[in-house]
Amino acid sequence: MTTQQQDLVFFDDNTLLSDKVLGKDNHALHVITHAEGTQPAWLINTLIESCLVGTANLVNRDLARVPRPRSLVTYVSFLHPLDFVHKSCRKQGLDLEKADDFLFVDCFSELFAKKIAQPQDAMAAIERVFAEIIQKIKLQSNGSSAVIVHSPELLLAATDITSNDLIYHLQQVNRVCNSLVVVVNTGEALVDFESIVPADPVFKITDFYVKLHHKSSLNVNLLPLATGKAKDITGCLIVSRGALYPHENVRVLEKDYVFHVSKESTVKIFFR
């Protein structure tokens, strides 16, 4: 590819997560969606890096390191254990094992062995899971805080809760942080707008996907190429404004990119 490489930005102050969005009394919701072949680990790691140290070395060379964390970060994962996150971030030069302002909440290990022992009657158990998440955020946070919740849609696929139940719990999380980033898999097997059976996991996840976007300020969509795979392009990255403004003094820069993630975990971004 001969097109000039670009810096990735989400907001018009040349940032991924603006200081204004991370500021006091703000409660913004951002949504990252992805499909098969466009795993978002590199982007999640980049947002963690940006919040903790100010830089985003993989995708934006203009962002400078700050002397103290811009924001505390809580990463809630229903998909990966802590060891995976440590190794993944280390590839990008971020050592989370030494980061005092980073908290990982493991909602993957033993989720259905201990925390949700009866998936067919899971309402109370899931309430306890999110109550624990909120309590940990409150104990960790004494200033600006960002929370990333990865793959909560798994609860819709594996338990009897509804999309409204999950939206409610995420809203409760959003109230105790300044920026909530929800990462959702929207592959063809999970999202189908023609599904009409309320008990069907696909119907629930599709409904959740729609309602989540109605409450968001920023949407980032990672998609595979419509024409199939290419050696020098992994997929498309679409940045769009959500239904709500993130802050009165900052706006979302709506742009379309293509990106390439190499085997060495380097990322290149180009305008589409």
Side-chain angles (χ1 to χ4, degrees):
M1 179 176 287
T2 58
T3 307
Q4 183 178 1
Q5 187 173 343
Q6 302 295 324
D7 287 333
L8 180 63
V9 295
F10 293 157
F11 295 99
D12 62 358
D13 55 359
N14 193 40
T15 60
L16 291 169
L17 287 180
S18 171
D19 285 335
K20 298 179 179 68
V21 174
L22 292 169
K24 184 179 179 182
D25 298 326
N26 204 50
H27 301 283
L29 169 64
H30 316 301
V31 181
I32 297 175
T33 57
H34 65 96
E36 289 76 7
T38 58
Q39 294 301 319
W42 64 272
L43 183 54
I44 295 171
N45 299 344
T46 295
L47 294 179
I48 294 172
E49 176 190 352
S50 177
C51 289
L52 291 180
V53 299
T55 57
N57 289 321
L58 272 185
V59 297
N60 192 318
R61 294 153 291 183
D62 290 339
L63 298 178
R65 192 176 184 90
V66 294
R68 60 182 181 180
R70 298 173 61 230
S71 174
L72 304 173
V73 178
T74 302
Y75 184 10
V76 181
S77 181
F78 289 89
L79 190 64
H80 300 300
L82 177 59
D83 185 57
F84 174 90
V85 177
H86 280 168
K87 289 180 179 178
S88 179
C89 286
R90 199 176 297 125
K91 290 180 181 179
Q92 295 184 206
L94 185 64
D95 189 357
L96 293 180
E97 295 183 62
K98 298 179 180 179
D100 295 332
D101 298 292
F102 174 79
L103 171 67
F104 182 79
V105 181
D106 188 352
C107 290
F108 169 78
S109 302
E110 300 183 331
L111 178 62
F112 295 106
K114 289 186 177 181
K115 293 182 179 180
I116 306 175
Q118 295 182 315
Q120 71 279 6
D121 186 20
M123 181 74 75
I126 290 174
E127 285 183 1
R128 289 192 294 270
V129 168
F130 278 95
E132 180 183 350
I133 292 169
I134 290 169
Q135 182 181 19
K136 289 182 177 180
I137 294 170
K138 287 181 176 179
L139 290 174
Q140 174 81 353
S141 175
N142 57 7
S144 178
S145 63
V147 176
I148 300 169
V149 180
H150 194 179
S151 292
E153 76 280 0
L154 291 176
L155 296 175
L156 296 174
T159 74
D160 64 337
I161 68 163
T162 68
S163 58
N164 287 340
D165 296 329
L166 186 53
I167 290 285
Y168 169 79
H169 288 304
L170 290 173
Q171 285 181 307
Q172 296 301 107
V173 173
N174 202 7
R175 288 176 181 172
V176 298
C177 68
N178 303 111
S179 285
L180 172 62
V181 180
V182 181
V183 184
V184 182
N185 185 342
T186 57
E188 292 183 2
L190 297 175
V191 173
D192 181 1
F193 292 100
E194 308 236 340
S195 179
I196 58 173
V197 181
D200 183 357
V202 173
F203 176 92
K204 293 197 293 181
I205 294 173
T206 304
D207 192 52
F208 170 69
Y209 166 83
V210 172
K211 290 176 178 176
L212 193 65
H213 280 77
H214 284 168
K215 299 178 180 297
S216 68
S217 299
L218 165 71
N219 300 316
V220 181
N221 194 5
L222 304 177
L223 294 168
L225 291 175
T227 54
K229 295 182 179 179
K231 286 185 178 180
D232 57 351
I233 300 177
T234 302
C236 304
L237 188 153
I238 302 171
V239 181
S240 59
R241 179 173 58 85
L244 304 176
Y245 283 100
H247 189 276
E248 60 183 2
N249 295 323
V250 71
R251 67 185 182 90
V252 174
L253 288 181
E254 297 187 290
K255 293 185 179 180
D256 287 9
Y257 303 89
V258 293
F259 67 96
H260 178 246
V261 183
S262 71
K263 292 181 179 179
E264 295 76 28
S265 298
T266 61
V267 180
K268 293 182 179 180
I269 306 284
F270 307 93
F271 284 135
R272 193 173 178 181

